[in-house]
């Protein structure tokens, strides 16, 4: 559809050098059953222990972790996960005993 020239012509001045490694792709989840129109908050019962973990983690001072994040608005690359999410997942897994079993 678009004439991009031969590979030899594209490697001239201004062309980007080839990158090594496997290409990163987002794949379709073809076995997904349905889309749900609800918030994550609606999926957990009010008494679920994950809510207690999240409330606890939100009360922590994670400034040191936030300061290490180099991604900025308008900059290259994807934004990393919020440190609160990672700490909450680790703590929840630890409380459930999943971390000790290597799961």
């Amino acid at each position: 559809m678009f004439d991009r020239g031969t590979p030899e012509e594209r490697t001239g001045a201004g062309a980007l050098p080839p990158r090594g490694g496997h290409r990163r792709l987002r794949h379709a989840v073809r076995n997904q059953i349905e889309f749900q129109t609800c918030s994550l908050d609606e999926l957990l019962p009010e008494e679920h222990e994950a809510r207690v973990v999240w409330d606890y983690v939100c009360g922590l001072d994670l400034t040191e972790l936030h300061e290490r994040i180099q991604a900025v608005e308008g900059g290259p690359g994807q934004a990393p996960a919020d440190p609160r999410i990672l700490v909450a997942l680790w703590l929840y897994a630890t409380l459930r005993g999943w971390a000790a079993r290597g799961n």
Side-chain angles (χ1 to χ4, degrees):
M1 181 168 189
F2 300 101
D3 181 17
R4 297 184 57 206
T6 66
E8 293 79 25
E9 292 172 338
R10 289 188 302 231
T11 57
L16 296 174
R19 289 185 163 183
H22 297 286
R23 304 229 187 265
R24 292 184 294 163
L25 300 171
R26 286 179 283 169
H27 298 280
V29 181
R30 300 193 56 91
N31 59 351
Q32 182 173 346
I33 304 299
E34 65 182 64
F35 288 104
Q36 294 185 14
T37 55
C38 63
S39 68
L40 291 175
D41 195 51
E42 293 173 314
L43 296 175
L44 280 180
E46 286 295 322
E47 65 280 357
H48 198 282
E49 65 185 356
R51 292 184 181 277
V52 175
V53 169
W54 182 251
D55 289 341
Y56 175 77
V57 170
C58 285
L60 296 176
D61 179 11
L62 301 178
T63 304
E64 188 173 335
L65 295 176
H66 280 104
E67 288 174 348
R68 299 177 134 227
I69 296 173
Q70 296 179 9
V72 294
E73 290 291 328
Q78 286 190 323
D82 183 338
R84 293 178 301 174
I85 295 172
L86 301 176
V87 171
L89 286 171
W90 169 80
L91 182 55
Y92 184 75
T94 301
L95 292 173
R96 301 285 299 174
W98 296 335
R101 294 191 313 234
N103 295 349

